[in-house]
Amino acid sequence: YLLAMLGSDFSCLYLPKDFHKARNNAIPYFQEVKGAKVTDLVQAKHERAFYLVFDNGFKLLFKLFGNRANLILFDINDQIRSLFKRSLAQDKQISLQSIDRGASHSLEDFISAGMDLHKTFFTLGKIASKYLRGQNYENSDPKEKYKLLQNTLSYLAKPEYFITRVEDKVILSLFNIGEIISIHQSAAEALNHFYQAHYRFNHLEKLKQEVLLKINNRIRSSRIFILKSSERIKELEAGIPVEEIANIIMANLHAIPAGSEKVTLFDFYRSQDIDIPLKKDLSPQKNAGILYRKSKNRPLEITRLKKNLADIESRIKTLMNDLSAVEKLDHYKELDLYFDKYIRKPETAIAEAEDLFKTYDYQGYKIFVGKNAGNNDELTQKFAHKEDLWLHAKDVSGSHVVIRHQAGKKIPGNVIEKAAQLAAWYSKRKNDSLCPVIYTLKKYVRKQKGAAKGAVKVDRENVLMVVPADF
C-alpha cells in the first residue's frame, strides 16, 4: 500500500503494511487503474515528482511540490484524465514530457551562474546549504566550492536517511545534521518513521499551540472579568447609596428646574452640597423613582457579581490545571480530550460567549444578552442555534436576549419570564412599570439585506408582559 498525504501544510508518502479503508466519507478516485498492474516507475529528473506506469497504458503522476502536492492521472495518449486536487488549476497544463528539469553541473556553468546554488544545484535545498556552510563553503574560492559540491553529491549517492530535529522541527534529511532522532538505511523505512515522527512531534506541537493559545486567551479574559467585576463591587459598596440620593431629590422637588441635566443640592446626610446627574426628559419624581429601583437592585447586583467572581476563579483554576497538563503531553492522540474541550465542542462556544456577551445562569439555563447593536448581530446571527429562544422588548431598541435550549427539554415559563425581564431592563423601556417583550424560536428571526446593525425581522412571535429587572 502507498498512502499519499497531500495536505497544504504537509506532503509525504507512507507505506503501511496494512490498510483499512474508512467506512464513511471515502471517495474512490482513479477507477481507470483499479486492478491494473504497475509495470514501471519513472522518476522525473531534478524534480520532486515521479509517475507509475500501468499495463493498461494509464500513468499516475505523483507531484510532491510542498503545499501544492497533487496526483494526476494520464490516459493512454498521455492526456490528463483527472486530478486529485482540482483546485490546483495550473496542474491542468502539466505534461509528462515537461516534468523533467534540465540542470548542468559543470564547473563552467557553475561559475557563469555566479556560483548561485539555486540556479545550478537547485535540488539541494536549505539543509544542503546549511551543511555546506559547515564545510566553510562561503569562504572558499570557486574551484574549492565546486569540489565541496562534488563531494556532497558523492556523499548523497550512497545515502543514509536521518530523522532529525532542526530549528525545533522534525525533518527527513540525507545529511547528518541537527539533533538526530533515528538513522535508516532504507528509504521506505525512513519514510515510515518520518511520517510517524511528524505526527508525534510537528503535528503534536501545532495542536498543542492551538490548544494552549485558547486556554491562555480564556485565562486572560477571565482575569480581566475579575478585575472589572471587583472594581464594580467596590464602586457599589463604597459609593453613596442611591436611595439617599433619591431622598435628597424628593426633599428638593421645588428647587429642581424642569429639564435639568444636573442639579446641585444640599446633602443632609453628609452636610455638604452634592452634584446629582438627571435625565432631562424625565421629571424629578421619575428620576428619583429610577434611583429607588436601582437601590433595590444594588444588593442583588453585588450578590450576582460575587457569585460570578467565585465561578470565574474556579474556572481559572481549571484552566491552569489544563494548561499544565497540555504542556506535558508528548503524543498528539493524548490531546484529543483537550482539543474537544477547547476547539471542537459546542461547550467551547458557550465558554467564549461568556466573554462576548452578558451571561446569566438561571435554574440550569444559560441566558445571553447582547451589549450593543453589533454585539446583538453577533449573538443572534452567529452564536444562537435555531432552537434557542430569542427575546426582545417590543417596539423599542434594546438588547437581543437568547436562552440556550437543552435537547429534549422545554424551557420553563419562569426561565422565560426571567429572560424577558432582562430584555426589558436592557431596553428603552427599562423605566416602565410594565414592558411587553416578544419571544420566539431563533429560527423565526432573520436579518434582511441592508438592515442596520441589530435590526431583524421576526416571523412569529409571542408577547409577555413583565417588570423590567436585572438579576
Side-chain angles (χ1 to χ4, degrees):
Y1 299 98
L2 178 61
L3 179 65
M5 301 297 296
L6 307 176
S8 59
D9 59 345
F10 178 64
S11 58
C12 178
L13 300 179
Y14 178 56
L15 296 92
K17 292 181 180 178
D18 299 301
F19 176 74
H20 303 285
K21 187 174 73 172
R23 295 181 181 179
N24 300 317
N25 301 322
I27 302 175
Y29 280 86
F30 312 131
Q31 294 297 289
E32 297 88 342
V33 295
K34 184 177 181 180
K37 182 179 178 181
V38 177
T39 59
D40 197 6
L41 183 152
V42 180
Q43 169 67 51
K45 294 179 181 177
H46 307 296
E47 190 54 282
R48 295 165 293 171
F50 67 89
Y51 61 87
L52 303 178
V53 181
F54 296 92
D55 59 0
N56 61 2
F58 280 77
K59 301 175 181 70
L60 184 61
L61 174 67
F62 287 71
K63 169 180 157 271
L64 302 175
F65 291 7
N67 61 2
R68 295 180 292 113
N70 206 354
L71 296 179
I72 306 169
L73 183 67
F74 292 82
D75 62 19
I76 57 175
N77 298 313
D78 289 349
Q79 299 299 308
I80 292 178
R81 176 64 67 91
S82 58
L83 283 73
F84 176 66
K85 285 187 178 179
R86 288 175 289 183
S87 60
L88 298 176
Q90 290 184 340
D91 286 358
K92 295 176 183 177
Q93 310 304 319
I94 288 177
S95 68
L96 291 176
Q97 292 71 36
S98 68
I99 61 173
D100 290 334
R101 290 183 69 179
S104 174
H105 292 161
S106 69
L107 174 61
E108 294 75 14
D109 288 332
F110 175 62
I111 293 175
S112 65
M115 295 172 287
D116 187 340
L117 288 176
H118 299 296
K119 293 181 179 178
T120 51
F121 292 83
F122 47 80
T123 57
L124 289 179
K126 295 179 181 178
I127 298 300
S129 298
K130 191 178 182 73
Y131 174 82
L132 285 167
R133 283 198 298 273
Q135 306 292 314
N136 199 33
Y137 175 85
E138 293 178 344
N139 298 320
S140 301
D141 60 42
K143 288 188 177 181
E144 184 63 26
K145 284 184 176 180
Y146 187 72
K147 182 179 178 180
L148 286 171
L149 283 169
Q150 295 303 314
N151 290 342
T152 300
L153 294 177
S154 298
Y155 165 74
L156 294 176
K158 300 176 181 179
E160 286 184 307
Y161 303 91
F162 300 92
I163 304 201
T164 179
R165 192 193 301 269
V166 177
E167 297 176 357
D168 292 326
K169 187 174 183 181
V170 173
I171 63 168
L172 172 62
S173 175
L174 298 176
F175 295 95
N176 186 346
I177 195 169
E179 180 189 337
I180 303 300
I181 296 173
S182 60
I183 304 173
H184 306 276
Q185 305 303 316
S186 157
E189 179 186 82
L191 267 178
N192 285 357
H193 278 80
F194 171 60
Y195 174 85
Q196 293 164 352
H198 167 78
Y199 280 98
R200 178 162 186 177
F201 297 104
N202 299 339
H203 189 57
L204 168 68
E205 194 59 33
K206 179 184 175 183
L207 295 182
K208 275 177 76 169
Q209 291 308 313
E210 282 187 58
V211 175
L212 291 172
L213 178 63
K214 286 285 186 182
I215 296 175
N216 278 313
N217 284 344
R218 296 271 189 84
I219 292 171
R220 191 180 303 112
S221 61
S222 296
R223 284 174 174 161
I224 290 171
F225 178 87
I226 286 177
L227 179 62
K228 290 183 176 179
S229 296
S230 299
E231 289 174 352
R232 178 59 179 158
I233 290 171
K234 288 180 181 177
E235 179 186 324
L236 290 170
E237 291 180 335
I240 297 174
V242 289
E243 182 181 5
E244 293 181 4
I245 297 175
N247 291 337
I248 294 169
I249 292 174
M250 292 301 294
N252 291 276
L253 292 177
H254 61 284
I256 303 175
S260 297
E261 291 187 355
K262 186 175 72 171
V263 65
T264 301
L265 300 173
F266 181 70
D267 179 355
F268 43 78
Y269 291 98
R270 278 155 286 276
S271 298
Q272 62 185 32
D273 286 343
I274 182 174
D275 291 330
I276 301 174
L278 300 171
K279 294 182 180 295
K280 65 177 182 179
D281 53 338
L282 298 179
S283 67
Q285 292 93 329
K286 286 193 174 181
N287 272 285
I290 293 172
L291 294 174
Y292 284 129
R293 282 195 291 274
K294 283 186 176 180
S295 176
K296 291 180 180 178
N297 289 326
R298 176 179 283 198
L300 296 176
E301 184 177 0
I302 292 173
T303 300
R304 178 176 62 80
L305 285 170
K306 288 182 175 179
K307 180 182 181 302
N308 287 346
L309 275 179
D311 291 343
I312 295 297
E313 286 169 352
S314 175
R315 187 200 298 178
I316 287 178
K317 186 176 180 181
T318 300
L319 289 168
M320 293 299 292
N321 288 338
D322 287 352
L323 190 71
S324 176
V326 170
E327 287 173 340
K328 294 175 183 176
L329 296 180
D330 60 5
H331 196 285
Y332 75 95
K333 288 187 177 180
E334 296 172 343
L335 262 177
D336 277 353
L337 172 65
Y338 300 97
F339 206 81
D340 282 348
K341 185 174 181 179
Y342 292 102
I343 306 293
R344 294 192 189 107
K345 296 296 184 182
E347 286 81 355
T348 302
I350 290 178
E352 289 179 346
E354 291 177 356
D355 299 327
L356 287 173
F357 317 112
K358 291 186 181 75
T359 308
Y360 299 84
D361 288 290
Y362 188 69
Q363 295 192 357
Y365 284 83
K366 289 279 187 184
I367 302 174
F368 301 98
V369 180
K371 297 178 180 179
N372 52 51
N375 197 237
N376 282 340
D377 276 347
E378 185 83 12
L379 174 60
T380 300
Q381 305 304 321
K382 296 183 180 180
F383 173 74
H385 296 173
K386 64 179 183 178
E387 297 302 323
D388 291 346
L389 199 67
W390 182 90
L391 306 93
H392 194 280
K394 186 174 177 61
D395 299 331
V396 293
S397 60
S399 293
H400 294 195
V401 176
V402 168
I403 306 174
R404 176 65 93 204
H405 82 287
Q406 297 179 12
K409 293 184 180 181
K410 183 179 179 181
I411 300 175
N414 57 344
V415 176
I416 298 174
E417 183 177 354
K418 182 59 69 175
Q421 287 182 306
L422 287 169
W425 180 260
Y426 290 105
S427 79
K428 292 291 186 180
R429 293 184 182 269
K430 69 177 293 184
N431 297 316
D432 292 1
S433 55
L434 279 176
C435 172
V437 174
I438 61 174
Y439 65 96
T440 186
L441 294 178
K442 158 57 181 65
K443 62 185 176 183
Y444 300 126
V445 181
R446 54 193 173 90
K447 184 85 173 176
Q448 291 182 304
K449 188 175 181 180
K453 287 184 178 180
V456 294
K457 182 174 177 57
V458 181
D459 292 330
R460 302 183 189 181
E461 65 180 52
N462 300 288
V463 179
L464 184 64
M465 299 297 293
V466 295
V467 176
D470 198 354
F471 267 40

